[in-house]
Amino acid sequence: MRMAELSAESGVPVATVKYYLREGLLPAGERTSPNQARYSAAHVQRLRLIKALTDVGGLPLASVGAVLSAIDDDRTPHETMGVVQEELAGEPPAVSPEAAEWASERLRELAHRHGWKWHGEEDRTLANLIAALATAKELGHEKLADRLDEYFALAMRVAELDVEVVTGLTSFDRIIEAGLVATVLGDRIFTGLRHLAQEFVSRDLLDRAP
Amino acid sequence: MRMAELSAESGVPVATVKYYLREGLLPAGERTSPNQARYSAAHVQRLRLIKALTDVGGLPLASVGAVLSAIDDDRTPHETMGVVQEELAGEPPAVSPEAAEWASERLRELAHRHGWKWHGEEDRTLANLIAALATAKELGHEKLADRLDEYFALAMRVAELDVEVVTGLTSFDRIIEAGLVATVLGDRIFTGLRHLAQEFVSRDLLDRAP
């Protein structure tokens, strides 16, 4: 297909498609004349993926580039998902050293109880988790940490569901893509469902509480 | 306390504190001389809350303003949490009408099965949920929708835990603040735990799958 059709199929404006081509986020089409190229269904899918990562996942283009490179590299699905998680996590916000130390200790204990390996603060997912929990502590809501085991048990159930959705597919490429979808879109979908559920659960309870 | 101490206590730079005062995000201190004012522990807490909303929650300042106004208004905790959710959701990304229609139908069925009221697309949480699910459909990963009931059941358990953390507090102000913490920080914390759990669950499975 031509550029105009690629744009219409993917819902991405022509100027943006050209920008992605220049930035190397989208592979070049097959050149058919000095100023025309032909694009394939793979180009449409790649554009949709970029749209999902930016518009729904909220990732900056630099992170999208890192995720797409990880997909294109010869990595295992598990390694690729590691890169995706790092990019989704982003830079952790600054917190006070005392609160960070406290949060780090709570999470270290959690890791120990559940038998997962403690990667330390250089793991961005963990660093962000520590910062969020430390912020709760700074605000005087450290009681949240008392329920970490219960939250983690539910997170495990969600992750098992995520992995079930992903496996059963028939190629590494589709698995990586589905993993990406389950993570990037899955975060948004689960957060949305949780907000609906909060509304449902709290309607009468919250206003009556004190 | 003086401005310098307020800044040190909250970890927010003096210039930023002054900006928040000008923007009305932080109430003025008690004036003690023409160019000095005294601030209280309530100011420290308010600054920490702004920091949590921007740095951890990723909210733009306009949304922070809307959330803080909702807190200061005479609303019930439940109404306040509604405003918080709207601001967290933000504008939903654009998707094709066909995919949006399909996603909307799946979620309407889910609402019907679980007995929650369908607020329609003008509810921003729902609009974002529809957009995320529609994007999965556009990418050819509509299988995700087959597991919506299971995801929702887990989201209900998480929300019950959220509400448990919040209730048991002794004032409406603390409840509203805890609700905010459970929602804004809770989203980050649960997403982080889910990513750790995904790593844990998928380590062997993913790379062996096809």
Side-chain angles (χ1 to χ4, degrees), chain B residues 7 63 74 82 93 150 163 165 198 200:
Chain B
S7 166
S63 296
D74 205 15
E150 289 159 90
V163 170
V165 172
Q198 284 174 342
F200 194 69

Side-chain angles (χ1 to χ4, degrees), chain B residues 6-169:
Chain B
L6 175 63
S7 166
E9 273 288 305
S10 62
V12 177
V14 170
T16 310
V17 174
K18 287 184 175 168
Y19 176 69
Y20 291 162
L21 283 167
R22 283 199 303 278
E23 292 290 313
L25 296 177
L26 187 69
E30 189 198 332
R31 200 147 291 283
T32 51
S33 81
N35 48 22
Q36 268 194 340
R38 194 156 45 201
Y39 301 94
S40 68
H43 286 93
V44 177
Q45 184 72 356
R46 173 58 59 107
L47 282 173
R48 287 183 176 149
L49 206 53
I50 297 174
K51 210 161 136 244
L53 292 168
T54 51
D55 291 6
V56 186
L59 288 188
L61 273 191
S63 296
V64 172
V67 168
L68 295 177
S69 303
I71 293 183
D72 295 335
D73 283 358
D74 205 15
R75 292 171 197 250
T76 70
H78 188 256
E79 282 168 356
T80 308
M81 292 316 297
V83 175
V84 173
Q85 289 195 354
E86 284 275 302
E87 295 301 331
L88 279 175
E91 279 301 319
V95 284
S96 75
E98 302 77 39
E101 183 50 39
W102 174 88
S104 181
E105 194 52 37
R106 297 290 82 69
L107 287 164
R108 209 184 294 258
E109 290 161 3
L110 182 77
H112 184 72
R113 282 195 297 276
H114 295 271
W116 36 274
K117 207 175 144 237
W118 179 257
H119 293 282
E121 289 82 1
E122 64 273 22
D123 175 309
R124 275 214 224 158
T125 301
L126 263 179
N128 272 281
L129 201 45
I130 291 169
L133 198 59
T135 303
K137 162 83 171 165
E138 286 179 334
L139 283 164
H141 292 279
E142 63 269 20
K143 264 185 59 186
L144 203 62
D146 297 345
R147 315 307 285 266
L148 273 181
D149 285 277
E150 289 159 90
Y151 280 117
F152 184 70
L154 289 168
M156 280 293 285
R157 301 265 309 273
V158 174
E160 280 159 11
L161 208 49
D162 295 337
V163 170
E164 268 178 57
V165 172
V166 170
T167 52
L169 293 171

Side-chain angles (χ1 to χ4, degrees), chain A residues 112-189:
Chain A
H112 184 73
R113 281 196 297 276
H114 295 272
W116 37 274
K117 206 174 144 239
W118 180 258
H119 293 281
E121 289 81 0
E122 64 273 22
D123 174 310
R124 274 215 224 158
T125 300
L126 263 180
N128 272 280
L129 201 46
I130 291 168
L133 198 59
T135 303
K137 163 81 170 165
E138 286 180 333
L139 282 164
H141 292 279
E142 62 269 20
K143 264 186 58 184
L144 204 62
D146 297 344
R147 315 308 285 268
L148 272 180
D149 285 276
E150 291 160 89
Y151 279 117
F152 184 69
L154 290 168
M156 281 292 285
R157 301 267 309 271
V158 174
E160 279 159 13
L161 209 48
D162 294 338
V163 170
E164 268 179 56
V165 171
V166 169
T167 51
L169 292 171
T170 47
S171 79
F172 267 178
D173 282 2
R174 287 293 281 169
I175 286 177
I176 288 176
E177 205 183 85
L180 216 111
V181 168
T183 306
V184 179
L185 305 183
D187 283 351
R188 297 290 154 157
I189 291 171

Side-chain angles (χ1 to χ4, degrees), chain A residues 39-209:
Chain A
Y39 301 94
S40 68
H43 286 93
V44 176
Q45 185 71 359
R46 173 57 60 110
L47 282 173
R48 286 184 177 148
L49 206 53
I50 297 173
K51 211 162 138 242
L53 291 168
T54 53
D55 292 5
V56 185
L59 287 188
L61 273 190
S63 295
V64 171
V67 167
L68 295 177
S69 302
I71 294 182
D72 295 336
D73 283 358
D74 206 15
R75 292 171 196 250
T76 69
H78 189 257
E79 283 167 355
T80 308
M81 292 315 297
V83 175
V84 172
Q85 289 195 354
E86 284 274 302
E87 295 301 331
L88 278 176
E91 278 302 318
V95 284
S96 75
E98 302 77 38
E101 183 50 40
W102 175 88
S104 183
E105 194 51 39
R106 298 289 83 68
L107 288 164
R108 210 184 294 258
E109 288 161 6
L110 183 77
H112 184 73
R113 281 196 297 276
H114 295 272
W116 37 274
K117 206 174 144 239
W118 180 258
H119 293 281
E121 289 81 0
E122 64 273 22
D123 174 310
R124 274 215 224 158
T125 300
L126 263 180
N128 272 280
L129 201 46
I130 291 168
L133 198 59
T135 303
K137 163 81 170 165
E138 286 180 333
L139 282 164
H141 292 279
E142 62 269 20
K143 264 186 58 184
L144 204 62
D146 297 344
R147 315 308 285 268
L148 272 180
D149 285 276
E150 291 160 89
Y151 279 117
F152 184 69
L154 290 168
M156 281 292 285
R157 301 267 309 271
V158 174
E160 279 159 13
L161 209 48
D162 294 338
V163 170
E164 268 179 56
V165 171
V166 169
T167 51
L169 292 171
T170 47
S171 79
F172 267 178
D173 282 2
R174 287 293 281 169
I175 286 177
I176 288 176
E177 205 183 85
L180 216 111
V181 168
T183 306
V184 179
L185 305 183
D187 283 351
R188 297 290 154 157
I189 291 171
F190 193 81
T191 300
L193 291 174
R194 177 191 193 170
H195 288 182
L196 291 176
Q198 285 174 342
E199 224 252 300
F200 194 68
V201 172
S202 72
R203 193 165 306 169
D204 304 315
L205 208 60
L206 266 189
D207 293 349
R208 245 188 1 226

